Structures are given as C-alpha cells and as structure tokens.
Amino acid sequence: MTYRARVETLYLLGFSLDLVNMFIGTVAYPAIATELHASVPQLAWIGNAYMLGLTLVIPLGSWLAARLGERRVLCVSLALFTVGAVLAGTAASIEGLIGWRLLQGLGGGLLIPVGQAMAYRECPPADRARLTARIMAVALLVPALSPTLGGVLVEWGSWRGVLLVSVPLAMAAFALAAAWVRPRAPVAVPALDRRGLLLGSLGLSVLLVALSLLAEPGQWMLGAGLLVAATLVLALYARSARRTDHPVLQWSLLRHASLRLAMLVYLLVPGTFIGTQLVATLLLHRQDYGAAAIGGFMLPWAIASACAIATTRHWLPRIGARPLLTAGMGCQAVGIALLIGIQASQPWLPVLAFALMGLGGSLCSSSAQTLAFQRLADAELLPGSALWNLNRQLSFCLAAALLACVLAVLSSVLPAHAFPLTLMLAAAMSLLPMLLLWRLPASSLALRTSP
C-alpha cells in the first residue's frame, strides 16, 4: 500500500469515527433517560457536548500539528477519543456522561482537520475530486447505517454498547497512525494567540448553547440573550484577529474565492437540509405518516445522494463547479418546495422531494468539498482544514436552530401557514449561495490539474 493510500485510509477511518459518534447515539436516548434519570435537555447535551468539544479544539489543530508533529497529534487525539468513549460508555450519571462526551469531542476535533489536511496534501490536485468522492461516500453511508446499528445494540444489549462500539475502531486507528504516519519534524511557529483562542472558544461555546436553547420550547428568551452575548464576544474576537499577525484561525485564507464559496455552500445547502429534515418530520407526522415511513423517506435521499457523488466525481473535472452547484441548489430548493404540498394520500410526493434534496445536497457538498482545497498551497492545507471543519460543525446546528425557531414563532402567530412559510424560507436559503457563485470569475472556480 502506498503512503498516500495509507494516509487516506487513516483519515477516512477517523472521519467514520466522528460521524458514528454524531449519529449513532440518538436511538439510545430513551434507554439512557430511564437508567440515568435524564431530562430531555440533558439528553440533547449528549450530542451537544460532543459537538462543543469538536468546535473548541479545531482551531488548535494546525498550531499543535506544527508544534508537535502530525503523527504525535493524531495519536494524542485518538487516545483522548478512546478514553472519552470508554468513560462515557461506563458513566454512572448523566452529568458524567455529558462530561466524557465533551472529552471525546476534544479528541475528535484534533483528528479531523489534521487528517484531512494530510490526505489532501498527499493527493495530487488532479485526483482530489476522486478523494472527495470517497469522503462523501463515507459521509453518506455512515450516517445512514449508524442509527440501525445503534438500534440493534440497544435491543440486543445496552445503550452503553452504542457508546463503546467505536472503541475497537479507535484503537485500530491509533495503531495505524503510530505505524503508518511518517514523523515530520516540528517547525518553528509563532506564539499561540491566547487572547484570540480565549475569545473564540468562549464565543463559540456561548453560540452553541444559545442555538440549543433556541430550539427548546420555553427557552427562546434565554437563547436570544445568549445569542446576543455570543455575537458580541465573537465581534471582539474578530477585532482581535485583525490586529494579530498570527491569529489562531487564519481568516486571511478567505482571500481564496473558492474557499469562501465552498464554506457558504456547505453552510446553506447541507446545513439547511438538516433543519428541513426536522421540519419535514413534524409535518409528515401531522399528515399521519408513521415513524417507519418517515425514516424510509431517507432511502430515496440516500440513493439520489450516491448518484450525485458519482456524478460529481465524473463531471466536476470536465465542466467545473458552477453548473453542478447551480443544479444542486436548484434541486434542493425544488425538493423543499414540494414538501409544502404533502398529503397522506400522495406518498410519492415526499419520495420525490427527498430524492431531489439528496441529489441537490450531495451535488453541492461534493463539489464544495473539492473546491475548498483546490486553490490552497500545501502550507495552507492545515489552517484551511481547520476553517473548513469549524464551518462544517456550525452548519449542523445554525440552519436547524433558525428554522426551528421560525417554525415555533409562526406556529404561534400564523398557525395555518407556519409549515409552508418555514419551508419557503428553507428553499430560499438553499439558493442564497448563487448570489456569490455567479459573481465570481470562472478562473477562481477552475480546478487545478497540477501542484
């Protein structure tokens, strides 16, 4: 096996671990609530704590990799992740479980950006669309299969098995990282931007707490207050970053138009789908669709997503990103709009809607993933990966919190139109990146064919 193949395999294994831990736990919540006497907000924080850990440590990934070396950072990351998984799976209280999930997230947050930067650095620019296809295949299969695996583990054993299932994989990844990754000598790096790290971590932490509260009934005012506080802290962070020669996150990389566009696309297309899925689930339930039928609509989504990944791999190097992104945004917007007309007597309509959303969302996410790293030099891949993954984490909750909040408000003031108006907003959000896409010159979206 070539060194490039080893690095890609290691990254995809680490990426799979991250996705499993984000999507597998939900099915275990009822059992956890019964055994650990957990409330609904506490259950929500099993996932939120993991995401918070990821978000807090991602900005440190590139600095630590330069200071300690990539192999050492990957091994430390996997060790933290494994310890966190074992302790979470054996937790005796809900508070302990949430705390150990935070530790797991801190380990995963170091693993993903460093591994991704290594994989793209070892991959020639002309082959990066193929690497992206493999990444997106993992991003499709793992979330689709994880809940099923989790359900089997809960029924056959205990909810603890859901949290412990990743331990053997993490230990295998640790062994592979130690054996496969070539040691790179640490390089001289500027002093850590401690002020920026403190302000950024505080602002992101408060932001995630605010978003989780906005999605809970009766917590809107507190969530709104914390959202204002988070905005102020992040504004202070932005001011500090502008005055620092070496900020903890290299926002100067956003001078690359392709990276700016890719981050916006990921935030507003895959991110909006996550929020739309929540709204659609509530709407389908009101139309008397059962849980099995609602879950079954993800099957056409997955099939269409697989087709989109294959399409992107084949056509992105040939026709470029602009037509694929345009088609993807349009398909998702149409799919969301179709949800407005859902009726119990027309099950084909949600099937078509979810298929269009799967096709459109994956056309956009696959194209954006490749586009994000195409114009970056090798030295920019680590800090660029940190920005990309931080944006990816935020996309999982920003649009969902916004749409949940809009639906709740409209349900109070315009109950008869709450779902249609919320879905119209989601469709419009999916199209917003077109405003930037069609303003950029074609040269900024061209794929590199050589280093």
Side-chain angles (χ1 to χ4, degrees), residues 127-209:
D127 291 338
R128 287 179 180 173
R130 294 185 178 89
L131 172 58
T132 296
R134 290 189 284 273
I135 293 172
M136 297 310 301
V138 171
L140 169 64
L141 289 173
V142 174
L145 298 177
S146 293
T148 302
L149 173 61
V152 171
L153 290 171
V154 171
E155 289 186 4
W156 287 3
S158 165
W159 62 265
R160 297 183 185 276
V162 171
L163 298 174
L164 294 172
V165 69
S166 60
V167 172
L169 291 176
M171 293 175 66
F174 179 91
L176 292 178
W180 282 356
V181 177
R182 294 171 182 167
R184 291 167 63 95
V187 299
V189 292
L192 181 64
D193 176 19
R194 293 184 176 86
R195 175 184 172 87
L197 181 62
L198 175 62
L199 288 173
S201 299
L202 178 61
L204 289 172
S205 300
V206 176
L207 176 62
L208 287 174
V209 173

Side-chain angles (χ1 to χ4, degrees), residues 46-341:
I46 296 173
N48 289 343
Y50 181 78
M51 188 176 295
L52 178 59
L54 289 170
T55 304
L56 289 178
V57 81
I58 281 173
L60 271 177
S62 56
W63 187 84
L64 285 173
R67 187 72 179 266
L68 303 177
E70 291 166 340
R71 183 169 70 175
R72 189 175 299 173
V73 168
L74 288 175
C75 289
V76 169
S77 171
L78 286 162
L80 282 175
F81 184 94
T82 304
V83 170
V86 171
L87 293 172
T90 57
S93 67
I94 187 62
E95 292 81 10
L97 174 56
I98 292 171
W100 298 130
R101 287 284 287 172
L102 177 64
L103 179 63
Q104 258 192 294
L106 292 173
L110 288 173
L111 173 66
I112 301 306
V114 176
Q116 181 172 263
M118 291 173 59
Y120 274 96
R121 186 179 65 226
E122 296 298 327
C123 184
D127 291 338
R128 287 179 180 173
R130 294 185 178 89
L131 172 58
T132 296
R134 290 189 284 273
I135 293 172
M136 297 310 301
V138 171
L140 169 64
L141 289 173
V142 174
L145 298 177
S146 293
T148 302
L149 173 61
V152 171
L153 290 171
V154 171
E155 289 186 4
W156 287 3
S158 165
W159 62 265
R160 297 183 185 276
V162 171
L163 298 174
L164 294 172
V165 69
S166 60
V167 172
L169 291 176
M171 293 175 66
F174 179 91
L176 292 178
W180 282 356
V181 177
R182 294 171 182 167
R184 291 167 63 95
V187 299
V189 292
L192 181 64
D193 176 19
R194 293 184 176 86
R195 175 184 172 87
L197 181 62
L198 175 62
L199 288 173
S201 299
L202 178 61
L204 289 172
S205 300
V206 176
L207 176 62
L208 287 174
V209 173
L211 292 173
S212 67
L213 291 175
L214 284 173
E216 292 180 17
Q219 299 291 330
W220 302 332
M221 293 299 294
L222 178 58
L226 289 176
L227 187 60
V228 172
T231 302
L232 293 175
V233 174
L234 290 173
L236 288 174
Y237 164 72
R239 181 181 178 186
S240 173
R242 285 196 301 269
R243 299 180 176 183
T244 303
D245 292 333
H246 302 283
V248 66
L249 284 171
Q250 292 190 24
W251 298 104
S252 61
L253 292 179
L254 293 179
R255 68 181 182 276
H256 295 290
S258 55
L259 179 60
R260 288 200 310 272
L261 174 65
M263 290 175 64
L264 182 64
V265 167
Y266 209 97
L267 193 65
L268 289 175
V269 182
T272 295
F273 171 73
I274 293 173
T276 301
Q277 190 179 15
L278 169 64
V279 177
T281 299
L282 297 174
L283 178 59
L284 288 165
H285 180 72
R286 288 183 55 170
Q287 295 287 346
D288 296 325
Y289 284 92
I294 294 173
F297 291 132
M298 287 301 291
L299 180 59
W301 179 90
I303 294 172
S305 293
C307 293
I309 292 169
T311 298
T312 304
R313 176 179 176 176
H314 181 76
W315 287 106
L316 185 61
R318 291 168 172 78
I319 64 175
R322 200 189 315 260
L324 291 174
L325 288 172
T326 301
M329 291 178 224
C331 285
Q332 175 158 303
V334 171
I336 294 173
L338 287 177
L339 292 172
I340 296 173

